[in-house]
Amino acid sequence: MLRLVIVLGLFACAFGKALNLHDTDGNYRELLLSLNKQLLHSLETQEGLPNPSVHLALRLSNYHNHVKEDEHLNKLKNDLHNEIQSSLRNNQPVTGLLALYSLALKSSCYDLNTVVFMVTEKSETLLAQLKKVMEQEKEHVAFSHRPLTNYYQYSLGVLALCVNGIRVNNHVTHKLIKAVEHENFKHGDVESIDTYAVAGMALQCVKDSGSYTHNAAEIDLALSKIKQKLLASRRTDGHMGNEFSTGLAVQALIAMGSEESEYSISMEAMRTAARNNIYHNPMAISQTLPALQKQSYLKVKGKECLNEDNTLVLDVTDPVVPLPSDTKVAVIVEVVMSSGAAAAYQVDVPKGSSLLEALDLLQKRNVGFTFEKESSLWGPYLSMVNGEQARQSDRRYWHLSSDGTSLTEGVSDFKIQATQTITIKNTTY
């Protein structure tokens, strides 16, 4: 066994050195530039609110187009700011969005002390508001054993406060540590690698700041467990969790000071996926691009915005309008309500249609299937199906699977390529 470990270790080191050589070649630089340009193009075609995660990735990149980035920064300060303020006034939980907004502003070296919200008659700075929100999250954990939102957003809140130099309340950090200890990071029955990754970056930041005085050994044990969870989630193809959680997982390993040999295989998996256009969703690119450049969200803390490259030029391209396929495929849509009652519908759609397009076609047939959707940073998601709503306050969501396999993409990204059964199930988390 010892000999096998040594051999594997030598292989990993050799592989890591090979990747270092690969990092310097022109093809890899072109790949990074391509992903940067995709993000910049997404700013022109995005629907809904400006995405702070996209801005964060652009600012952490080695390549910049300051004009485009400044335009997006202004949209964040206006459109996203007003949306968050409205949500806060209506007591709607926006912990994750508020945290990402602060990280995006910090990545542009913006003075967050000048950013205020008018939630009541008294104005409060963004960071004061975030600290208040995290206190509410902590109190909710205390009496219900779970956050007001979820541990992914909770972790983002801790990370954002710490990166912005705000001391995180020991009790807030302690609740996150205990959640790691009790393995509470799950989405349904599946462990959330994304959550472990963000929690890892958050706790590493708190550890580095020296502000956690409750029990220093606790934070080390939590970080060790997170690292074990991330590495144990690695598939045979190198991805950790799935293709869309690997970016955050690698960021976390980098932030936690892991040896390059521990994530080099996952880096190569991301490169391969990027070349195969797996990361066509802007949110997916925004979480992957920093990792591909060996950066993590912790880098925002020391960002100075000086002497940056500003040579990234967008190519003028005509929008590609895909032609509908003449080939039709049958899709069976099975809806399972919270009561367990089920109904099935069939619709024929052009091959290559998105799941959202398939559901639209099915709804137009007036066979009893109806749905509503809401927007998110990842794109639209199902909020109501056949008159039944899945509410975050009730810890319910619509779980999507194809022939029994959970979908890792959203309704607008998943493509129908063959006859299959799509199951839409009202599920708790």
Side-chain angles (χ1 to χ4, degrees):
M1 177 61 77
L2 180 59
R3 182 179 179 183
L4 177 60
V5 171
I6 293 172
V7 170
L8 288 174
L10 291 172
F11 170 78
C13 290
F15 191 62
K17 290 177 181 178
L19 287 179
N20 282 336
L21 292 175
H22 182 60
D23 284 353
T24 61
D25 70 27
N27 289 336
Y28 186 48
R29 181 176 182 276
E30 286 303 313
L31 177 65
L32 295 176
L33 287 172
S34 173
L35 292 173
N36 270 274
K37 290 177 181 180
Q38 285 184 61
L39 282 185
L40 287 172
H41 277 301
S42 77
L43 303 184
E44 301 171 346
T45 59
Q46 68 183 3
E47 297 179 2
L49 295 170
N51 190 330
S53 182
V54 168
H55 191 81
L56 185 53
L58 289 170
R59 294 298 305 142
L60 284 173
S61 177
N62 297 324
Y63 313 103
H64 297 280
N65 181 315
H66 284 158
V67 171
K68 293 293 183 183
E69 290 173 9
D70 289 346
E71 288 175 358
H72 194 241
L73 178 63
N74 287 328
K75 289 181 180 178
L76 289 170
K77 291 188 297 179
N78 291 296
D79 300 347
L80 183 62
H81 186 98
N82 291 337
E83 178 68 19
I84 293 174
Q85 182 167 261
S86 176
S87 296
L88 290 170
R89 285 176 175 172
N90 293 319
N91 293 316
Q92 296 172 336
V94 285
T95 304
L97 200 57
L98 191 61
L100 280 174
Y101 179 39
S102 72
L103 288 170
L105 294 179
K106 174 71 173 174
S107 70
S108 283
C109 300
Y110 197 82
D111 185 0
L112 271 72
N113 292 317
T114 65
V115 183
V116 297
F117 288 105
M118 291 291 294
V119 179
T120 58
E121 294 182 0
K122 180 183 177 183
S123 66
E124 286 187 300
T125 66
L126 188 160
L127 294 176
Q129 190 65 54
L130 181 57
K131 192 162 187 176
K132 177 187 289 187
V133 164
M134 288 307 299
E135 287 294 316
Q136 294 169 352
E137 293 274 18
K138 177 204 70 175
E139 292 302 321
H140 203 273
V141 174
F143 69 79
S144 69
H145 307 293
R146 61 191 185 194
L148 192 61
T149 54
N150 52 54
Y151 278 112
Y152 180 87
Q153 295 191 50
Y154 191 104
S155 300
L156 272 176
V158 172
L159 176 64
L161 286 174
C162 180
V163 163
N164 279 290
I166 304 297
R167 184 184 178 279
V168 182
N169 184 314
N170 276 339
H171 294 293
V172 171
T173 302
H174 183 68
K175 292 288 189 294
L176 186 56
I177 290 172
K178 285 300 178 183
V180 174
E181 180 184 325
H182 296 134
E183 301 184 357
N184 290 333
F185 299 163
K186 291 187 177 181
H187 197 66
D189 296 328
V190 180
E191 288 192 319
S192 173
I193 297 305
D194 306 68
T195 305
Y196 275 109
V198 179
M201 286 187 273
L203 292 177
Q204 185 66 51
C205 183
V206 172
K207 177 186 176 181
D208 293 344
S209 71
S211 63
Y212 187 67
T213 56
H214 191 278
N215 184 342
E218 279 187 337
I219 205 164
D220 287 330
L221 285 172
L223 285 167
S224 177
K225 184 160 190 174
I226 288 171
K227 183 175 178 179
Q228 290 172 9
K229 288 286 186 182
L230 296 179
L231 294 177
S233 75
R234 187 161 56 211
R235 308 184 319 198
T236 55
D237 65 1
H239 286 291
M240 286 186 278
N242 60 51
E243 293 88 342
F244 304 101
S245 55
T246 307
L248 287 177
V250 170
Q251 280 197 53
L253 290 174
I254 291 171
M256 292 188 288
S258 300
E259 294 292 330
E260 187 174 339
S261 59
E262 293 182 292
Y263 56 81
S264 57
I265 297 173
S266 297
M267 288 282 280
E268 186 59 28
M270 287 191 295
R271 291 186 182 102
T272 300
R275 291 190 178 97
N276 291 331
N277 198 34
I278 299 297
Y279 305 123
H280 49 81
N281 184 298
M283 190 66 178
I285 299 174
S286 74
Q287 295 181 345
T288 304
L289 184 57
L292 285 172
Q293 296 183 93
K294 299 180 183 176
Q295 303 275 7
S296 81
Y297 291 160
L298 262 63
K299 289 293 183 182
V300 175
K301 187 170 187 177
K303 190 154 179 60
E304 297 181 344
C305 305
L306 299 173
N307 302 316
E308 293 180 335
D309 167 271
N310 188 28
T311 61
L312 189 58
V313 178
L314 271 183
D315 306 319
V316 178
T317 57
D318 294 324
V320 177
V321 180
L323 296 175
S325 172
D326 292 331
T327 304
K328 293 292 185 72
V329 292
V331 178
I332 297 173
V333 177
E334 181 185 34
V335 179
V336 182
M337 312 297 274
S338 58
S339 65
Y345 314 86
Q346 182 171 327
V347 61
D348 294 332
V349 301
K351 182 179 180 181
S353 300
S354 70
L355 177 53
L356 181 58
E357 290 169 332
L359 297 181
D360 276 329
L361 282 174
L362 182 56
Q363 182 166 241
K364 289 174 182 176
R365 290 182 58 198
N366 295 316
V367 292
F369 174 81
T370 61
F371 76 97
E372 293 179 10
K373 63 184 187 297
E374 293 183 19
S375 61
S376 75
L377 297 183
W378 279 94
Y381 67 94
L382 300 182
S383 57
M384 183 179 291
V385 178
N386 287 355
E388 184 168 279
Q389 194 160 15
R391 294 185 179 89
Q392 179 175 286
S393 58
D394 299 328
R395 290 298 192 273
R396 305 200 71 87
Y397 71 103
W398 290 104
H399 177 265
L400 305 176
S401 60
S402 173
D403 294 335
T405 301
S406 297
L407 301 188
T408 56
E409 295 181 281
V411 289
S412 61
D413 293 314
F414 182 77
K415 304 300 181 185
I416 307 292
Q417 301 293 353
T419 296
Q420 59 197 277
T421 297
I422 299 294
T423 301
I424 305 173
K425 185 177 181 180
N426 197 317
T427 309
T428 58
Y429 65 91

